[in-house]
Structure formats: structure tokens, C-alpha cells
Amino acid sequence: MSRESNDEQSLQSAVADELDTTAWRDYRKLSSESVTGDRRNVERVLAELLTTVLDQKLLARIHNDLGVLAAVDGRIDESVRHFSEAVGLIPDLQVAQENHRLISWQAAEVGRRNEQAVVSHRSTRVGIVSLLFNWPSTGGGTVHTAELARFLSRAGYEVRHFVIGYAGWSVGQVSDVTDWPIERLDFDDSAWHRAEIQRRVRRAVDTFSPDAVIITDSWSFKPRLAEALQGTPYYLRLAAQECLCPLNNVRLLWDTNGNTRACPQHQLATPDICSACVGQRSRYSGALHRAERELAGFDEPDYGRCLREAFAGATGVLVVNPLIAEMVKPHTPAVHVVPSGFDASRFPWTQSNDLPNTDQTRILFAGLVEEPMKGFTILEAAAKLIWQQRKDFRLIVTSDPVGESNEFTEFVGWKSQQELPRLMRESDIVVCPTIAEEALGRTAVEGMGAGRPVVASRIGGLPFVVLDEATGLLCEPSDPVDLARQLVRLLNDRQLQKQMGQAGRRRFEQHYTWEVILDRHYRQLLGAPVRSM
């Protein structure tokens, strides 16, 4: 090696020594400032020193101090990195070793807490399984399912609605955009049988891994869906009296003369009687009822066992009135009276909700005139009796063709869920003359939501919805004379109409809005929207 190169090397070494000496001096000054001075400035200068210092012991000290400053600010990952660098440079630097041990333990604890926080903040998952769902729909049970999924989602639950589709039955048709997650399970003719439906439902639900499943929108097939979901917590939701009355879900019987009567039996208590009834009266069931019973294997030897096990194995059975609860109670570990919820935004309440100022009192029938159980023929007979005495009312009916049906009846066409509240506000009285044991009576609740008095049959769930002499008046089912009597009472007393309408609105707000239903019932059943661990 030449002398010149030796001199150059000596010069570089001298410069490095001088730099390191200066760096140590600056470092000691910063160490004293770090206690009382600007910590951010100290951290900045230390970071600059890292780019110039050659002394490994000093580098280790700087990394250690930067690690301390990062730890003070809660930057745990950065702190771990600096302490690791310090120990890597000078393995026997005890202060760095101790700091590295402490911060590594703290980092592990933070990681565990973060992991627990992620788990504890996972939304509670709720599956909803529907066999007979279409959307849009005006059917009460279907509307309830749609709004249940919507409002559970809005409340923070992670919802997955499993909709079974089969073109042969025209079910599973969803043409409107939904604001809740739907998973369609479509079947063709070759796959439309019980075993394949059960298999695919089970696979889809397992993939979602819900905390609970609500089985709804099905009748005799409901026990088969429960059978498919054994091992998963599930609730059976009875929108009417499905599984209690396999004939028509409302325990309504016709005799040979076309007269009707309420049946006192139900399938859980008297399976043989109900099975014989279906055999004798199957023609009184609709085509979809008959097809669904066949799909469920209603006539097969194991169906009764499957039905009993479905109720016995349920986490709970959700019914909409206390009468149904009493029927179900002996056959399941838990039954809950959970009314259908209603979207309060469909029924805004302002001063404009006062009764219309018209010469004729408008009596609204919002139902299917061609469906005997809805009782339109009873209402029509009652209106004829009243018309013989007075001409100051008009019967408004949601049916086609649009126009005057007779001198006191006007058909206004079928109304969507969006249109119906306005029609109710434009009316004075809402009437529900059903002759069957409807479980709830959505029209009655909606009438109260619109602030209108409700005249309803004293049957099924209606007496639990309409408080007689408070939010409306009850009449004997299938009795046009009694219905006419109650309607006349309201026709004669405008103040009574207003008083009952306002009381009905209060009852709607206190018992039937989705906000109330979620708080009072579903949060108790499903837990909080965010699951704690």
C-alpha cells in the first residue's frame, strides 16, 4: 500500500473520529434536552444523527432512545423495530435488552387486545330462510319478512336472506332492488324435491355461519327446513297459523252449503284429526297449499315426527298473538309473542292527518274482495242495511275494475305498500270484517298508523290489536247487522272518530313500529347487533 493511500486512510479515520466525537457531544446534549425540551425536536435530531454516525455503540444508543420516544407516543411497532436494531448492534447493551423485552410483551398484549376487539365487534349474523318469498308483494307475511331483513340490517345485524326460487311455483321472484343482502337458491324441475332443497339450504347456511336463523315464508314445509338446519340455532316464525292448520293456515272450515265455521283443533295437539281434515277438504285449499304439502311429504309416515321435532328443537317459536302462543306453548321450549313490525316512515304524522273534511264519510276496505275469509260480502251486506237508512257514507274498496260498483261502493284499484297509507289518510274509517282467525291483521295496524278508527271482527288476533271502545270498535264475525251497528256509531259521532283515531296512532307508535319491535323483542332474542366475546 502506498504512503499516499496510508496518509489518506489516516486522514479519513481522523475525520471519522472527529465526527463521532461531535456526534457523542450532540447526543449527550440531546439526552439532557429530552427530559425538559421539545420531544418532537429531539426525535427529529436523533433521526438525523442516524444518517451520519459510524460508532455502533452510539448508533445502538440512538436506536434505543428513538424506541423509547416511539413507545411514549404509543407507536409500538416502531418502538419494537428501534429496540431490535439496538440489540442487533450491541447485544450486551442491557438497557436496550430490557426495553426490547418490555416492549415485545406490550406489543403482544396490544395484538391480543386488537384481535379480541375485532372478534367482539363482529356483527351478530342472522340468517332468514324463505320458501315462498316474492318481492315486491302485498302479502302480510312477505312484507314482514322483507322489513325484518331491512330493519335488522339497519340496526347493525349482519343479515343474509336465503330466498328459494322455483319458476314452476312462481316463487323466489325478486324484481325490485332490495337494501338487504339476498342469496338466491334457484332450482329447476329436476332439483325441485325435498332432499335437494334441504341439502342446498344447509350448505348455504353453513357457509354463512349465522348466530341464529329465522325460518319463515313457508307452511307445511317449515318443519323440513328445520330438519335441514339441525345443530344451528333457529327460530320458527308463524306469520299465521301455519303448522297448526295445514288446510289453510287459519283454521277455517266450509260446510257443504258454503257456510263457514272456526275449527277448534290444531295439528300439534290433534294430528290425526287434522290429517283426516286435509284428506276430506283438500279441495278447499289453494293450489300452492296443495303443492307445498306434497313437497313437504305431509302424507308420509315421518311427517308428524318431523313436525314435533321442529318445534321441540327450536331455539324459540315467534307468534303474533297470545292465542297462538297458548297453542304452541306445550310443544316447544320457548314461545314468544312478537307482533309484526311496521315502517313508521310510511305513516308520517302531521296536522294533515286530521279527518278529511268531506260531506260523505269514507269507509275503507283494503283487502281482496274475492277472498272469502276477508269478509267483503259481510261488509257489503252491512253497507246495504245502512244505505236503507242514510246516504252520508261511501265504501272505498281496493279492487278492480276501477269505478263505481254500486250506488255506495267505489273500487279504486289495488294499492301498493307506498300508496296505501295515503288512501287511509283520505278515508275516515278503516274496516276489517274478516271471518277467519287472522293472526294479526296488518290492515288494522296500518289504519291505526294512519290515525283512523278501526272497525274489526272479534276473532283471531284482531281483538289484541284493536282495543274495543278505545282505538276502534269490534263486531261479531260473519254478522252484517252487528257490523252495521258499529259503523253507524262512528257515522253518528265525528268526535268519536277523531278520538279513536288519535288513540290508535298512539298505540301504533308504542307497540308496532320497527324501532319498538327491535328493542322490545329481537334484541332480547338475538342479542346486541355487535356480539361480545
Side-chain angles (χ1 to χ4, degrees), residues 33 69 89 108 211 250 253 263 272 368 375 433:
E33 289 181 358
L69 292 171
L89 288 167
D211 298 292
V250 291
L253 301 180
C263 174
D272 293 340
L368 296 170

Side-chain angles (χ1 to χ4, degrees), residues 222-259:
K222 195 176 263 98
R224 297 301 189 183
L225 291 171
E227 184 178 50
L229 296 176
Q230 288 300 316
T232 299
Y234 66 85
Y235 292 90
L236 300 176
R237 181 179 181 276
L238 307 188
Q241 296 186 58
E242 65 269 29
C243 295
L244 299 176
C245 175
L247 182 67
N248 52 37
N249 295 341
V250 291
R251 299 196 301 166
L252 185 66
L253 301 180
W254 281 264
D255 62 23
T256 55
N257 297 320
N259 299 316

Side-chain angles (χ1 to χ4, degrees), residues 24-273:
W24 273 104
R25 188 167 53 247
D26 291 343
Y27 168 74
R28 292 190 183 97
K29 182 180 178 182
L30 286 169
S31 295
S32 62
E33 289 181 358
S34 65
V35 178
T36 59
D38 183 350
R39 196 168 68 244
R40 289 294 184 189
N41 183 61
V42 171
E43 187 172 9
R44 179 183 60 78
V45 177
L46 284 175
E48 291 176 355
L49 279 177
L50 283 179
T51 64
T52 59
V53 170
L54 300 177
D55 188 313
Q56 287 194 327
K57 184 177 292 187
L58 179 55
L59 281 173
R61 289 279 184 177
I62 293 172
H63 274 298
N64 177 75
D65 290 358
L66 285 171
V68 171
L69 292 171
V72 169
D73 279 350
R75 306 191 308 272
I76 303 301
D77 289 344
E78 184 179 342
S79 179
V80 170
R81 178 173 61 80
H82 280 299
F83 290 139
S84 296
E85 291 282 352
V87 172
L89 288 167
I90 306 295
D92 60 351
L93 185 61
Q94 290 185 355
V95 64
Q97 288 177 344
E98 181 64 14
N99 285 338
H100 185 265
R101 183 185 67 79
L102 290 173
I103 203 65
S104 295
W105 176 84
Q106 185 176 351
E109 280 298 298
V110 169
R112 279 191 290 270
R113 287 197 298 271
N114 287 341
E115 182 178 351
Q116 290 173 354
V118 169
V119 172
S120 67
H121 285 80
R122 179 175 81 74
S123 294
T124 300
R125 291 180 180 167
V126 181
I128 300 174
V129 178
S130 292
L131 176 72
L132 305 172
F133 183 85
N134 289 316
W135 193 251
S137 171
T138 54
T142 304
V143 171
H144 173 84
T145 297
E147 291 189 352
L148 173 64
R150 173 181 295 129
F151 282 90
L152 284 176
S153 294
R154 290 180 183 178
Y157 293 92
E158 185 178 348
V159 174
R160 182 82 54 86
H161 186 188
F162 300 95
V163 174
I164 298 169
Y166 176 51
W169 285 12
S170 298
V171 296
Q173 298 177 342
V174 180
S175 58
D176 273 12
V177 175
T178 62
D179 55 358
W180 67 92
I182 283 182
E183 182 173 337
R184 291 177 55 89
L185 306 177
D186 288 314
F187 294 81
D188 58 20
D189 290 343
S190 65
W192 190 245
H193 56 86
R194 182 169 73 238
E196 181 62 12
I197 295 170
Q198 288 179 313
R199 186 188 70 80
R200 288 191 56 191
V201 167
R202 178 78 213 202
R203 184 177 64 186
V205 169
D206 281 350
T207 300
F208 179 52
S209 188
D211 298 292
V213 173
I214 299 172
I215 302 174
T216 187
D217 300 318
S218 54
W219 305 325
S220 294
F221 201 77
K222 195 176 263 98
R224 297 301 189 183
L225 291 171
E227 184 178 50
L229 296 176
Q230 288 300 316
T232 299
Y234 66 85
Y235 292 90
L236 300 176
R237 181 179 181 276
L238 307 188
Q241 296 186 58
E242 65 269 29
C243 295
L244 299 176
C245 175
L247 182 67
N248 52 37
N249 295 341
V250 291
R251 299 196 301 166
L252 185 66
L253 301 180
W254 281 264
D255 62 23
T256 55
N257 297 320
N259 299 316
T260 62
R261 64 180 177 88
C263 174
Q265 314 296 342
H266 69 85
Q267 189 175 204
L268 287 173
T270 57
D272 293 340
I273 293 174

